Amino acid sequence: MPEQGVTVGQLLLAEYQSVKDEQKARIGFRDNLLYVTLAVVAAVIAAAAQAKQPSMLLALPPVCVVLGWTYVVNDEKITAIGLYVRDSLGPRLAALAADGSGFTTFGWETSHGRDTRRRSRKAVQLAVDLTAFCAVPLAALVVFWAQDGHGRLMAALSVLEALAVAGLASQVVRFARAA
């Protein structure tokens, strides 16, 4: 009995399953980053208030920048996977199934993007992302700057942190426009 090999269609379906599993894992990880950020912000603010040390608020910008950047990178990969499935994998599978019926593979990958409320949801998500990862650490810096008695080194550090947060904000906005 001759051995049967794996078909191109089977390989493409296996690849589809693999990239969708990665996308699902990244979505879960990305979404949890917002909750982690909220928990860290609450903990740092509570510790700074309890210790009456506004300089402790300087911990927020680097933490929010790292978590925010991780969020943006994962969000970009989630979008890239969707584009790959829509623009490459789906058409290749559809070509294999070419039966003249106009069959479209992975219809969900395109249909959810045509939702009339998608633009408003994206705008709200951008506002949430900018608030969580950028506005909160900038507010912490403003509180720090409003206090007297911090040295030049701490002031210089706070300016560097503000620049890092501004850089993250530009990337968040840039990615939101590209997506």
Side-chain angles (χ1 to χ4, degrees), residues 26-60:
R26 284 182 178 276
I27 288 169
F29 181 74
R30 177 204 59 194
D31 292 351
N32 283 328
L33 285 170
L34 279 171
Y35 301 124
V36 170
T37 302
L38 290 173
V40 168
V41 165
V44 169
I45 290 172
Q50 187 175 8
K52 295 183 170 92
Q53 292 291 323
S55 61
M56 291 174 72
L57 294 174
L58 292 181
L60 281 179

PDB file of all heavy atoms in Angstrom, residues 26-60:
ATOM      1  N   ARG A  26      -1.934  35.492  22.629  1.00  0.00           N
ATOM      2  CA  ARG A  26      -1.510  36.897  22.699  1.00  0.00           C
ATOM      3  C   ARG A  26      -2.651  37.819  23.130  1.00  0.00           C
ATOM      4  O   ARG A  26      -2.434  38.788  23.847  1.00  0.00           O
ATOM      5  CB  ARG A  26      -0.933  37.349  21.360  1.00  0.00           C
ATOM      6  CG  ARG A  26       0.452  36.825  21.097  1.00  0.00           C
ATOM      7  CD  ARG A  26       0.993  37.356  19.765  1.00  0.00           C
ATOM      8  NE  ARG A  26       2.336  36.907  19.500  1.00  0.00           N
ATOM      9  CZ  ARG A  26       3.439  37.490  19.970  1.00  0.00           C
ATOM     10  NH1 ARG A  26       3.341  38.561  20.733  1.00  0.00           N
ATOM     11  NH2 ARG A  26       4.629  37.025  19.681  1.00  0.00           N
ATOM     12  N   ILE A  27      -3.859  37.528  22.685  1.00  0.00           N
ATOM     13  CA  ILE A  27      -5.010  38.343  23.087  1.00  0.00           C
ATOM     14  C   ILE A  27      -5.209  38.250  24.602  1.00  0.00           C
ATOM     15  O   ILE A  27      -5.393  39.273  25.279  1.00  0.00           O
ATOM     16  CB  ILE A  27      -6.285  37.913  22.325  1.00  0.00           C
ATOM     17  CG1 ILE A  27      -6.199  38.350  20.863  1.00  0.00           C
ATOM     18  CG2 ILE A  27      -7.536  38.485  22.989  1.00  0.00           C
ATOM     19  CD1 ILE A  27      -7.279  37.749  19.965  1.00  0.00           C
ATOM     20  N   GLY A  28      -5.154  37.053  25.140  1.00  0.00           N
ATOM     21  CA  GLY A  28      -5.300  36.883  26.586  1.00  0.00           C
ATOM     22  C   GLY A  28      -4.211  37.608  27.359  1.00  0.00           C
ATOM     23  O   GLY A  28      -4.479  38.293  28.346  1.00  0.00           O
ATOM     24  N   PHE A  29      -2.975  37.467  26.892  1.00  0.00           N
ATOM     25  CA  PHE A  29      -1.845  38.127  27.545  1.00  0.00           C
ATOM     26  C   PHE A  29      -1.987  39.641  27.458  1.00  0.00           C
ATOM     27  O   PHE A  29      -1.835  40.352  28.457  1.00  0.00           O
ATOM     28  CB  PHE A  29      -0.534  37.666  26.903  1.00  0.00           C
ATOM     29  CG  PHE A  29       0.686  38.267  27.519  1.00  0.00           C
ATOM     30  CD1 PHE A  29       1.123  37.855  28.763  1.00  0.00           C
ATOM     31  CD2 PHE A  29       1.408  39.253  26.854  1.00  0.00           C
ATOM     32  CE1 PHE A  29       2.252  38.419  29.352  1.00  0.00           C
ATOM     33  CE2 PHE A  29       2.538  39.814  27.430  1.00  0.00           C
ATOM     34  CZ  PHE A  29       2.956  39.391  28.673  1.00  0.00           C
ATOM     35  N   ARG A  30      -2.309  40.144  26.253  1.00  0.00           N
ATOM     36  CA  ARG A  30      -2.458  41.590  26.056  1.00  0.00           C
ATOM     37  C   ARG A  30      -3.541  42.151  26.960  1.00  0.00           C
ATOM     38  O   ARG A  30      -3.341  43.166  27.629  1.00  0.00           O
ATOM     39  CB  ARG A  30      -2.807  41.875  24.592  1.00  0.00           C
ATOM     40  CG  ARG A  30      -3.042  43.357  24.313  1.00  0.00           C
ATOM     41  CD  ARG A  30      -3.910  43.599  23.122  1.00  0.00           C
ATOM     42  NE  ARG A  30      -5.217  42.979  23.265  1.00  0.00           N
ATOM     43  CZ  ARG A  30      -6.055  42.814  22.269  1.00  0.00           C
ATOM     44  NH1 ARG A  30      -5.736  43.187  21.042  1.00  0.00           N
ATOM     45  NH2 ARG A  30      -7.231  42.249  22.465  1.00  0.00           N
ATOM     46  N   ASP A  31      -4.696  41.505  26.989  1.00  0.00           N
ATOM     47  CA  ASP A  31      -5.797  42.019  27.791  1.00  0.00           C
ATOM     48  C   ASP A  31      -5.470  42.018  29.281  1.00  0.00           C
ATOM     49  O   ASP A  31      -5.890  42.914  30.014  1.00  0.00           O
ATOM     50  CB  ASP A  31      -7.067  41.229  27.506  1.00  0.00           C
ATOM     51  CG  ASP A  31      -7.584  41.467  26.087  1.00  0.00           C
ATOM     52  OD1 ASP A  31      -7.054  42.360  25.389  1.00  0.00           O
ATOM     53  OD2 ASP A  31      -8.496  40.737  25.669  1.00  0.00           O
ATOM     54  N   ASN A  32      -4.720  41.033  29.733  1.00  0.00           N
ATOM     55  CA  ASN A  32      -4.333  40.992  31.139  1.00  0.00           C
ATOM     56  C   ASN A  32      -3.343  42.091  31.501  1.00  0.00           C
ATOM     57  O   ASN A  32      -3.242  42.474  32.671  1.00  0.00           O
ATOM     58  CB  ASN A  32      -3.769  39.621  31.501  1.00  0.00           C
ATOM     59  CG  ASN A  32      -4.864  38.596  31.669  1.00  0.00           C
ATOM     60  OD1 ASN A  32      -5.974  38.916  32.092  1.00  0.00           O
ATOM     61  ND2 ASN A  32      -4.583  37.361  31.323  1.00  0.00           N
ATOM     62  N   LEU A  33      -2.623  42.611  30.521  1.00  0.00           N
ATOM     63  CA  LEU A  33      -1.674  43.689  30.806  1.00  0.00           C
ATOM     64  C   LEU A  33      -2.377  44.939  31.336  1.00  0.00           C
ATOM     65  O   LEU A  33      -1.807  45.659  32.162  1.00  0.00           O
ATOM     66  CB  LEU A  33      -0.848  44.032  29.561  1.00  0.00           C
ATOM     67  CG  LEU A  33       0.234  43.026  29.218  1.00  0.00           C
ATOM     68  CD1 LEU A  33       0.829  43.320  27.838  1.00  0.00           C
ATOM     69  CD2 LEU A  33       1.329  43.019  30.271  1.00  0.00           C
ATOM     70  N   LEU A  34      -3.583  45.195  30.902  1.00  0.00           N
ATOM     71  CA  LEU A  34      -4.329  46.338  31.446  1.00  0.00           C
ATOM     72  C   LEU A  34      -4.636  46.130  32.927  1.00  0.00           C
ATOM     73  O   LEU A  34      -4.492  47.052  33.732  1.00  0.00           O
ATOM     74  CB  LEU A  34      -5.624  46.556  30.667  1.00  0.00           C
ATOM     75  CG  LEU A  34      -5.466  47.314  29.357  1.00  0.00           C
ATOM     76  CD1 LEU A  34      -6.770  47.279  28.559  1.00  0.00           C
ATOM     77  CD2 LEU A  34      -5.037  48.742  29.601  1.00  0.00           C
ATOM     78  N   TYR A  35      -5.033  44.917  33.292  1.00  0.00           N
ATOM     79  CA  TYR A  35      -5.336  44.633  34.696  1.00  0.00           C
ATOM     80  C   TYR A  35      -4.069  44.703  35.551  1.00  0.00           C
ATOM     81  O   TYR A  35      -4.098  45.222  36.676  1.00  0.00           O
ATOM     82  CB  TYR A  35      -5.985  43.258  34.840  1.00  0.00           C
ATOM     83  CG  TYR A  35      -7.262  43.125  34.048  1.00  0.00           C
ATOM     84  CD1 TYR A  35      -7.408  42.110  33.109  1.00  0.00           C
ATOM     85  CD2 TYR A  35      -8.316  44.022  34.214  1.00  0.00           C
ATOM     86  CE1 TYR A  35      -8.582  41.992  32.372  1.00  0.00           C
ATOM     87  CE2 TYR A  35      -9.478  43.912  33.483  1.00  0.00           C
ATOM     88  CZ  TYR A  35      -9.609  42.898  32.560  1.00  0.00           C
ATOM     89  OH  TYR A  35     -10.757  42.781  31.831  1.00  0.00           O
ATOM     90  N   VAL A  36      -2.980  44.200  35.031  1.00  0.00           N
ATOM     91  CA  VAL A  36      -1.702  44.272  35.754  1.00  0.00           C
ATOM     92  C   VAL A  36      -1.312  45.735  35.957  1.00  0.00           C
ATOM     93  O   VAL A  36      -0.879  46.128  37.049  1.00  0.00           O
ATOM     94  CB  VAL A  36      -0.596  43.499  34.998  1.00  0.00           C
ATOM     95  CG1 VAL A  36       0.768  43.773  35.591  1.00  0.00           C
ATOM     96  CG2 VAL A  36      -0.894  42.010  35.009  1.00  0.00           C
ATOM     97  N   THR A  37      -1.478  46.537  34.918  1.00  0.00           N
ATOM     98  CA  THR A  37      -1.144  47.963  35.018  1.00  0.00           C
ATOM     99  C   THR A  37      -1.986  48.632  36.095  1.00  0.00           C
ATOM    100  O   THR A  37      -1.455  49.398  36.921  1.00  0.00           O
ATOM    101  CB  THR A  37      -1.332  48.656  33.659  1.00  0.00           C
ATOM    102  OG1 THR A  37      -0.502  48.008  32.693  1.00  0.00           O
ATOM    103  CG2 THR A  37      -0.982  50.130  33.733  1.00  0.00           C
ATOM    104  N   LEU A  38      -3.283  48.359  36.113  1.00  0.00           N
ATOM    105  CA  LEU A  38      -4.151  48.950  37.139  1.00  0.00           C
ATOM    106  C   LEU A  38      -3.725  48.526  38.539  1.00  0.00           C
ATOM    107  O   LEU A  38      -3.713  49.342  39.465  1.00  0.00           O
ATOM    108  CB  LEU A  38      -5.608  48.562  36.888  1.00  0.00           C
ATOM    109  CG  LEU A  38      -6.263  49.196  35.665  1.00  0.00           C
ATOM    110  CD1 LEU A  38      -7.652  48.600  35.441  1.00  0.00           C
ATOM    111  CD2 LEU A  38      -6.350  50.704  35.813  1.00  0.00           C
ATOM    112  N   ALA A  39      -3.360  47.270  38.703  1.00  0.00           N
ATOM    113  CA  ALA A  39      -2.934  46.780  40.017  1.00  0.00           C
ATOM    114  C   ALA A  39      -1.634  47.445  40.448  1.00  0.00           C
ATOM    115  O   ALA A  39      -1.491  47.851  41.616  1.00  0.00           O
ATOM    116  CB  ALA A  39      -2.773  45.258  39.981  1.00  0.00           C
ATOM    117  N   VAL A  40      -0.687  47.574  39.532  1.00  0.00           N
ATOM    118  CA  VAL A  40       0.592  48.208  39.857  1.00  0.00           C
ATOM    119  C   VAL A  40       0.382  49.677  40.210  1.00  0.00           C
ATOM    120  O   VAL A  40       0.956  50.182  41.188  1.00  0.00           O
ATOM    121  CB  VAL A  40       1.596  48.059  38.691  1.00  0.00           C
ATOM    122  CG1 VAL A  40       2.810  48.946  38.892  1.00  0.00           C
ATOM    123  CG2 VAL A  40       2.009  46.608  38.540  1.00  0.00           C
ATOM    124  N   VAL A  41      -0.431  50.355  39.425  1.00  0.00           N
ATOM    125  CA  VAL A  41      -0.707  51.778  39.694  1.00  0.00           C
ATOM    126  C   VAL A  41      -1.320  51.936  41.082  1.00  0.00           C
ATOM    127  O   VAL A  41      -0.886  52.788  41.869  1.00  0.00           O
ATOM    128  CB  VAL A  41      -1.624  52.368  38.597  1.00  0.00           C
ATOM    129  CG1 VAL A  41      -2.210  53.704  39.031  1.00  0.00           C
ATOM    130  CG2 VAL A  41      -0.849  52.527  37.298  1.00  0.00           C
ATOM    131  N   ALA A  42      -2.310  51.121  41.403  1.00  0.00           N
ATOM    132  CA  ALA A  42      -2.948  51.207  42.718  1.00  0.00           C
ATOM    133  C   ALA A  42      -1.953  50.928  43.832  1.00  0.00           C
ATOM    134  O   ALA A  42      -1.934  51.635  44.856  1.00  0.00           O
ATOM    135  CB  ALA A  42      -4.121  50.232  42.787  1.00  0.00           C
ATOM    136  N   ALA A  43      -1.113  49.930  43.657  1.00  0.00           N
ATOM    137  CA  ALA A  43      -0.136  49.577  44.691  1.00  0.00           C
ATOM    138  C   ALA A  43       0.887  50.695  44.899  1.00  0.00           C
ATOM    139  O   ALA A  43       1.208  51.038  46.045  1.00  0.00           O
ATOM    140  CB  ALA A  43       0.579  48.281  44.315  1.00  0.00           C
ATOM    141  N   VAL A  44       1.384  51.264  43.812  1.00  0.00           N
ATOM    142  CA  VAL A  44       2.397  52.334  43.941  1.00  0.00           C
ATOM    143  C   VAL A  44       1.782  53.583  44.569  1.00  0.00           C
ATOM    144  O   VAL A  44       2.385  54.205  45.454  1.00  0.00           O
ATOM    145  CB  VAL A  44       3.046  52.639  42.575  1.00  0.00           C
ATOM    146  CG1 VAL A  44       3.891  53.907  42.646  1.00  0.00           C
ATOM    147  CG2 VAL A  44       3.886  51.460  42.105  1.00  0.00           C
ATOM    148  N   ILE A  45       0.584  53.943  44.130  1.00  0.00           N
ATOM    149  CA  ILE A  45      -0.068  55.127  44.710  1.00  0.00           C
ATOM    150  C   ILE A  45      -0.348  54.910  46.195  1.00  0.00           C
ATOM    151  O   ILE A  45      -0.106  55.812  47.023  1.00  0.00           O
ATOM    152  CB  ILE A  45      -1.352  55.471  43.936  1.00  0.00           C
ATOM    153  CG1 ILE A  45      -0.985  56.009  42.544  1.00  0.00           C
ATOM    154  CG2 ILE A  45      -2.204  56.481  44.699  1.00  0.00           C
ATOM    155  CD1 ILE A  45      -2.170  56.199  41.618  1.00  0.00           C
ATOM    156  N   ALA A  46      -0.834  53.735  46.541  1.00  0.00           N
ATOM    157  CA  ALA A  46      -1.105  53.448  47.958  1.00  0.00           C
ATOM    158  C   ALA A  46       0.179  53.493  48.775  1.00  0.00           C
ATOM    159  O   ALA A  46       0.207  54.066  49.877  1.00  0.00           O
ATOM    160  CB  ALA A  46      -1.782  52.086  48.098  1.00  0.00           C
ATOM    161  N   ALA A  47       1.255  52.924  48.270  1.00  0.00           N
ATOM    162  CA  ALA A  47       2.527  52.925  48.996  1.00  0.00           C
ATOM    163  C   ALA A  47       3.070  54.338  49.140  1.00  0.00           C
ATOM    164  O   ALA A  47       3.558  54.717  50.212  1.00  0.00           O
ATOM    165  CB  ALA A  47       3.542  52.030  48.284  1.00  0.00           C
ATOM    166  N   ALA A  48       2.983  55.128  48.071  1.00  0.00           N
ATOM    167  CA  ALA A  48       3.482  56.514  48.123  1.00  0.00           C
ATOM    168  C   ALA A  48       2.666  57.349  49.104  1.00  0.00           C
ATOM    169  O   ALA A  48       3.222  58.162  49.856  1.00  0.00           O
ATOM    170  CB  ALA A  48       3.448  57.142  46.729  1.00  0.00           C
ATOM    171  N   ALA A  49       1.353  57.158  49.114  1.00  0.00           N
ATOM    172  CA  ALA A  49       0.492  57.908  50.032  1.00  0.00           C
ATOM    173  C   ALA A  49       0.735  57.492  51.472  1.00  0.00           C
ATOM    174  O   ALA A  49       0.821  58.344  52.367  1.00  0.00           O
ATOM    175  CB  ALA A  49      -0.972  57.698  49.652  1.00  0.00           C
ATOM    176  N   GLN A  50       0.880  56.195  51.708  1.00  0.00           N
ATOM    177  CA  GLN A  50       1.098  55.706  53.066  1.00  0.00           C
ATOM    178  C   GLN A  50       2.446  56.173  53.604  1.00  0.00           C
ATOM    179  O   GLN A  50       2.553  56.568  54.763  1.00  0.00           O
ATOM    180  CB  GLN A  50       1.021  54.181  53.090  1.00  0.00           C
ATOM    181  CG  GLN A  50       1.069  53.610  54.488  1.00  0.00           C
ATOM    182  CD  GLN A  50       0.871  52.099  54.471  1.00  0.00           C
ATOM    183  OE1 GLN A  50       0.846  51.469  53.431  1.00  0.00           O
ATOM    184  NE2 GLN A  50       0.717  51.534  55.662  1.00  0.00           N
ATOM    185  N   ALA A  51       3.461  56.147  52.758  1.00  0.00           N
ATOM    186  CA  ALA A  51       4.792  56.559  53.194  1.00  0.00           C
ATOM    187  C   ALA A  51       4.983  58.073  53.114  1.00  0.00           C
ATOM    188  O   ALA A  51       5.998  58.595  53.572  1.00  0.00           O
ATOM    189  CB  ALA A  51       5.855  55.871  52.333  1.00  0.00           C
ATOM    190  N   LYS A  52       4.014  58.756  52.529  1.00  0.00           N
ATOM    191  CA  LYS A  52       4.100  60.212  52.318  1.00  0.00           C
ATOM    192  C   LYS A  52       5.396  60.569  51.571  1.00  0.00           C
ATOM    193  O   LYS A  52       6.097  61.508  51.918  1.00  0.00           O
ATOM    194  CB  LYS A  52       3.983  60.960  53.639  1.00  0.00           C
ATOM    195  CG  LYS A  52       2.634  60.783  54.288  1.00  0.00           C
ATOM    196  CD  LYS A  52       2.529  61.611  55.559  1.00  0.00           C
ATOM    197  CE  LYS A  52       1.138  61.629  56.072  1.00  0.00           C
ATOM    198  NZ  LYS A  52       0.663  60.733  56.972  1.00  0.00           N
ATOM    199  N   GLN A  53       5.682  59.770  50.534  1.00  0.00           N
ATOM    200  CA  GLN A  53       6.882  59.937  49.711  1.00  0.00           C
ATOM    201  C   GLN A  53       6.480  60.060  48.237  1.00  0.00           C
ATOM    202  O   GLN A  53       6.382  59.062  47.527  1.00  0.00           O
ATOM    203  CB  GLN A  53       7.826  58.738  49.881  1.00  0.00           C
ATOM    204  CG  GLN A  53       8.449  58.625  51.234  1.00  0.00           C
ATOM    205  CD  GLN A  53       9.456  59.752  51.467  1.00  0.00           C
ATOM    206  OE1 GLN A  53      10.161  60.170  50.569  1.00  0.00           O
ATOM    207  NE2 GLN A  53       9.489  60.241  52.691  1.00  0.00           N
ATOM    208  N   PRO A  54       6.259  61.289  47.759  1.00  0.00           N
ATOM    209  CA  PRO A  54       5.883  61.452  46.350  1.00  0.00           C
ATOM    210  C   PRO A  54       6.953  60.943  45.385  1.00  0.00           C
ATOM    211  O   PRO A  54       6.649  60.604  44.243  1.00  0.00           O
ATOM    212  CB  PRO A  54       5.682  62.949  46.179  1.00  0.00           C
ATOM    213  CG  PRO A  54       5.776  63.553  47.517  1.00  0.00           C
ATOM    214  CD  PRO A  54       6.284  62.543  48.480  1.00  0.00           C
ATOM    215  N   SER A  55       8.185  60.839  45.842  1.00  0.00           N
ATOM    216  CA  SER A  55       9.235  60.343  44.955  1.00  0.00           C
ATOM    217  C   SER A  55       8.994  58.881  44.560  1.00  0.00           C
ATOM    218  O   SER A  55       9.482  58.435  43.521  1.00  0.00           O
ATOM    219  CB  SER A  55      10.608  60.480  45.616  1.00  0.00           C
ATOM    220  OG  SER A  55      10.676  59.730  46.807  1.00  0.00           O
ATOM    221  N   MET A  56       8.201  58.159  45.352  1.00  0.00           N
ATOM    222  CA  MET A  56       7.868  56.777  45.002  1.00  0.00           C
ATOM    223  C   MET A  56       7.036  56.710  43.725  1.00  0.00           C
ATOM    224  O   MET A  56       7.009  55.685  43.043  1.00  0.00           O
ATOM    225  CB  MET A  56       7.136  56.089  46.155  1.00  0.00           C
ATOM    226  CG  MET A  56       8.017  55.844  47.377  1.00  0.00           C
ATOM    227  SD  MET A  56       7.093  55.187  48.782  1.00  0.00           S
ATOM    228  CE  MET A  56       6.767  53.528  48.203  1.00  0.00           C
ATOM    229  N   LEU A  57       6.373  57.816  43.400  1.00  0.00           N
ATOM    230  CA  LEU A  57       5.570  57.858  42.174  1.00  0.00           C
ATOM    231  C   LEU A  57       6.443  57.755  40.925  1.00  0.00           C
ATOM    232  O   LEU A  57       5.941  57.443  39.841  1.00  0.00           O
ATOM    233  CB  LEU A  57       4.735  59.140  42.127  1.00  0.00           C
ATOM    234  CG  LEU A  57       3.653  59.263  43.194  1.00  0.00           C
ATOM    235  CD1 LEU A  57       2.990  60.634  43.134  1.00  0.00           C
ATOM    236  CD2 LEU A  57       2.622  58.143  43.048  1.00  0.00           C
ATOM    237  N   LEU A  58       7.744  57.989  41.082  1.00  0.00           N
ATOM    238  CA  LEU A  58       8.653  57.855  39.944  1.00  0.00           C
ATOM    239  C   LEU A  58       8.784  56.402  39.475  1.00  0.00           C
ATOM    240  O   LEU A  58       9.331  56.142  38.405  1.00  0.00           O
ATOM    241  CB  LEU A  58      10.032  58.421  40.286  1.00  0.00           C
ATOM    242  CG  LEU A  58      10.109  59.935  40.472  1.00  0.00           C
ATOM    243  CD1 LEU A  58      11.528  60.369  40.792  1.00  0.00           C
ATOM    244  CD2 LEU A  58       9.583  60.664  39.247  1.00  0.00           C
ATOM    245  N   ALA A  59       8.251  55.483  40.256  1.00  0.00           N
ATOM    246  CA  ALA A  59       8.253  54.084  39.827  1.00  0.00           C
ATOM    247  C   ALA A  59       7.194  53.832  38.748  1.00  0.00           C
ATOM    248  O   ALA A  59       7.330  52.899  37.957  1.00  0.00           O
ATOM    249  CB  ALA A  59       8.003  53.163  41.015  1.00  0.00           C
ATOM    250  N   LEU A  60       6.155  54.664  38.706  1.00  0.00           N
ATOM    251  CA  LEU A  60       5.068  54.421  37.760  1.00  0.00           C
ATOM    252  C   LEU A  60       5.463  54.582  36.294  1.00  0.00           C
ATOM    253  O   LEU A  60       5.127  53.721  35.478  1.00  0.00           O
ATOM    254  CB  LEU A  60       3.866  55.307  38.078  1.00  0.00           C
ATOM    255  CG  LEU A  60       3.000  54.837  39.225  1.00  0.00           C
ATOM    256  CD1 LEU A  60       1.850  55.796  39.468  1.00  0.00           C
ATOM    257  CD2 LEU A  60       2.472  53.450  38.958  1.00  0.00           C
TER     258      LEU A  60
END
